[in-house]
Amino acid sequence: MNFENVNKELIAFLDSSPNAFYAVSNMCKTLEDAGLIRLYEGKPWELEAGKGYYVTRNDSAVIAFRIPKKDYTGFQMMASHCDSPVFKIKTNAEIAIDKQYVKLNVEKYGGMICAPWLDRPLSVAGRIIVRTEEGIETRLVNIDRDLMIIPNLAIHMNREVNDGYKFNAQVDMLPLFCEKGEESDVFIKMIAEEAGVKAEDILDTDLFLYNRMKGTMLGLNNEFVASGRLDDLQCAYASLQGFLKAEPKDSVAVHCVYDNEEVGSGTKQGAAGTFLKDTLRRINSSCGKSEEEYLMSIASSFLVSADNAHAVHPNHPEKSDPTNRPYLNKGIVIKYSANQKYTTDAVSGAVMRAICNEAKVPFQIFTNRSDMLGGSTLGNISQSQVALNTVDIGLPQLAMHSPYETAGAKDTAYLIEAARVLFSSTMEGTGDGKYRLLF
Ligand code: ZN
């Protein structure tokens, strides 16, 4: 496995994807370059066996699929997410202080670690909606330079800062943007100029802060990779690369990346929405199949819900489970939780182990400490739309939900290989709890 190249390309993807809109746009470019055909939900679909397609929803979620040359048995799928905890710029963002500074009014999106957002260069990226002669149109905007900072309070003004600090999002987390001049609305004027449109033609915006620090390799032998948004663009990237390398034979390969996992998935482009179900149903009807054939194919399908996992922390090894302890670079993490916050059960866990064995990549197990609640992810949420055998996995990482996270240099390549095997495979249901795995 060429770990070095994989990490180079992963870091380029992370650096150019400051938020979900950019991540989806970058994935679409890659899919386009690989010869996949773009579909729109608002236009008819005419699908052909042996071809690959992709469709986006809200410009912030994407599903790509490849139909095998002959009739298919089911869907072999991997779902990840492309949003990360971040600060969103509010409407009417400018706040003047003492007629000297302009800071921006922001609010939390998701549950982030606040402290590492302070005292580092930040900028802003996202989408704007522009009035045109035909209606409205979306433009992506990224101010690609060091632009803002959220300054800490000096230790002399808060002597207790190192004894634990409760961050107030309305007080502590607003970024300093510029000196106050004569002009007003300088923020939106800057966005308009960058996008090449008139400020008055911008009808609305979805703009987010991002950490300017680029991804890098570190450790004595470059064995670690550190970057913003590893959760969950590392899995989204591995899923995409595995998808492009795969050769679907008897099942439709489906690469699915949702938005809004960090805020509970309850949007049209999130896992609780109908995006995946609508897409699978349209594939089914476009291929001339009946409702019964749809349900039969779902029973012969498999979903890998891929969202990063907690590795054992070097300074807090006691926070991990006593017997299931994932480490960086030791492979794909299969996640279990008895209360089914993770969907993995004995059947889907067994299938995932078989996939890893076939791919010749290592895997390890995560469970929460029994006295810790732990997080949740998109796998169990998507069951309410498309219910099927699902496993929850992830890649091991540290500092989850920090704007700069750390992962292993080998694990991305392991997941690419496992995804390639998944997308090339078929899982034929021959009875409840009985399957033929065809690799
Ligand atoms: Zn995640």
Side-chain angles (χ1 to χ4, degrees):
M1 280 177 195
N2 190 337
F3 297 116
E4 202 183 312
N5 262 359
V6 166
N7 287 311
K8 236 183 237 166
E9 286 171 21
L10 169 68
I11 287 172
F13 175 63
L14 292 162
D15 286 345
S16 61
S17 304
N19 54 50
F21 299 112
Y22 277 88
V24 166
S25 165
N26 289 330
M27 283 187 278
C28 288
K29 265 180 231 148
T30 304
L31 290 162
E32 196 82 40
D33 291 347
L36 278 87
I37 301 157
R38 182 160 197 163
L39 302 167
Y40 292 93
E41 291 197 284
K43 290 182 179 165
W45 292 9
E46 280 155 29
L47 308 181
E48 284 175 49
K51 290 201 168 160
Y53 302 86
Y54 69 100
V55 57
T56 61
R57 184 178 279 188
N58 192 51
D59 290 315
S60 65
V62 60
I63 296 177
F65 56 91
R66 274 207 159 108
I67 305 173
K69 289 202 176 76
K70 53 179 179 185
D71 188 24
Y72 64 83
T73 309
F75 303 97
Q76 295 295 83
M77 305 186 274
M78 186 173 286
S80 53
H81 69 90
C82 57
D83 62 320
S84 338
V86 71
F87 291 92
K88 186 172 189 201
I89 315 265
K90 289 184 186 171
T91 304
N92 302 319
E94 294 180 24
I95 300 174
I97 298 297
D98 293 349
K99 297 184 185 144
Q100 295 296 323
Y101 304 132
V102 177
K103 64 180 182 180
L104 295 185
N105 196 3
V106 298
E107 62 182 318
K108 283 179 169 181
Y109 171 91
M112 72 285 287
I113 304 176
C114 284
W117 280 91
L118 283 82
D119 299 339
R120 68 197 54 241
L122 307 172
S123 192
V124 59
R127 70 172 174 187
I128 60 173
I129 307 304
V130 182
R131 176 168 45 205
T132 66
E133 275 167 20
E134 290 89 50
I136 60 169
E137 200 175 285
T138 299
R139 303 266 174 92
L140 297 192
V141 183
N142 176 10
I143 309 293
D144 190 10
R145 67 181 175 92
D146 297 345
L147 182 69
M148 300 181 213
I149 195 158
I150 309 172
N152 250 303
L153 193 59
I155 195 161
H156 315 83
M157 294 174 177
N158 178 14
R159 294 278 181 193
E160 286 79 49
V161 65
N162 292 326
D163 303 333
Y165 184 77
K166 198 171 181 328
F167 290 92
N168 180 321
Q170 191 62 68
V171 176
D172 296 302
M173 304 311 298
L174 307 191
L176 173 65
F177 173 47
C178 63
E179 286 187 338
K180 176 86 181 111
E182 294 301 309
E183 236 180 298
S184 59
D185 300 323
V186 285
F187 175 71
I188 205 71
K189 283 175 188 161
M190 172 198 69
I191 296 292
E193 195 184 329
E194 179 68 28
V197 301
K198 290 196 205 114
E200 59 267 30
D201 287 337
I202 298 179
L203 297 175
D204 213 340
T205 64
D206 288 314
L207 295 169
F208 302 89
L209 299 184
Y210 70 94
N211 182 4
R212 291 284 298 164
M213 193 187 282
K214 292 195 181 305
T216 190
M217 309 297 299
L218 42 82
L220 175 63
N221 299 304
N222 278 344
E223 58 266 58
F224 307 124
V225 48
S227 170
R229 305 171 294 281
L230 283 166
D231 171 18
D232 187 30
L233 293 184
Q234 191 183 10
C235 285
Y237 176 79
S239 173
L240 177 62
Q241 294 304 319
F243 175 82
L244 293 174
K245 288 185 163 69
E247 284 170 42
K249 290 180 282 290
D250 296 303
S251 281
V252 180
V254 182
H255 159 76
C256 173
V257 184
Y258 289 117
D259 192 6
N260 300 130
E261 191 276 339
E262 301 295 357
V263 293
S265 297
T267 59
K268 64 189 182 301
Q269 62 278 2
T274 57
F275 190 28
L276 181 61
K277 178 166 77 178
D278 294 348
T279 302
L280 299 185
R281 283 191 167 279
R282 277 179 95 156
I283 296 169
N284 185 73
S285 59
S286 272
C287 293
K289 289 176 171 251
S290 69
E291 175 70 14
E292 184 178 34
E293 284 171 305
Y294 172 73
L295 295 173
M296 283 164 59
S297 62
I298 293 298
S300 286
S301 296
F302 193 63
L303 173 65
V304 176
S305 158
D307 193 1
N308 270 2
H310 303 297
V312 171
H313 193 286
N315 295 343
H316 287 283
E318 78 286 359
K319 293 285 184 186
S320 293
D321 183 66
T323 61
N324 296 295
R325 301 173 68 79
Y327 300 98
L328 304 182
N329 288 319
K330 295 295 180 290
I332 294 164
V333 181
I334 306 177
K335 307 187 215 174
Y336 290 82
S337 115
N339 61 20
Q340 295 290 288
K341 285 268 187 247
Y342 301 130
T343 55
T344 314
D345 55 25
V347 171
S348 63
V351 173
M352 190 65 211
R353 287 161 198 246
I355 289 170
C356 290
N357 289 336
E358 177 69 21
K360 299 189 175 64
V361 297
F363 62 86
Q364 41 190 347
I365 306 298
F366 176 88
T367 61
N368 286 303
R369 276 184 63 102
S370 306
D371 52 5
M372 260 183 211
L373 212 51
S376 69
T377 179
L378 52 89
N380 62 339
I381 294 172
S382 78
Q383 299 300 306
S384 58
Q385 298 293 345
V386 187
L388 76 165
N389 271 316
T390 303
V391 67
D392 267 287
I393 64 141
L395 295 177
Q397 71 157 95
L398 301 169
M400 190 179 284
H401 292 192
S402 167
Y404 210 68
E405 302 168 323
T406 299
K410 290 183 176 171
D411 297 315
T412 311
Y414 293 150
L415 185 54
I416 292 173
E417 191 50 22
R420 185 193 66 74
V421 168
L422 165 79
F423 289 131
S424 309
S425 71
T426 290
M427 186 174 134
E428 193 186 327
T430 55
D432 200 12
K434 215 173 151 192
Y435 300 92
R436 247 164 36 107
L437 305 177
L438 305 165
F439 293 116

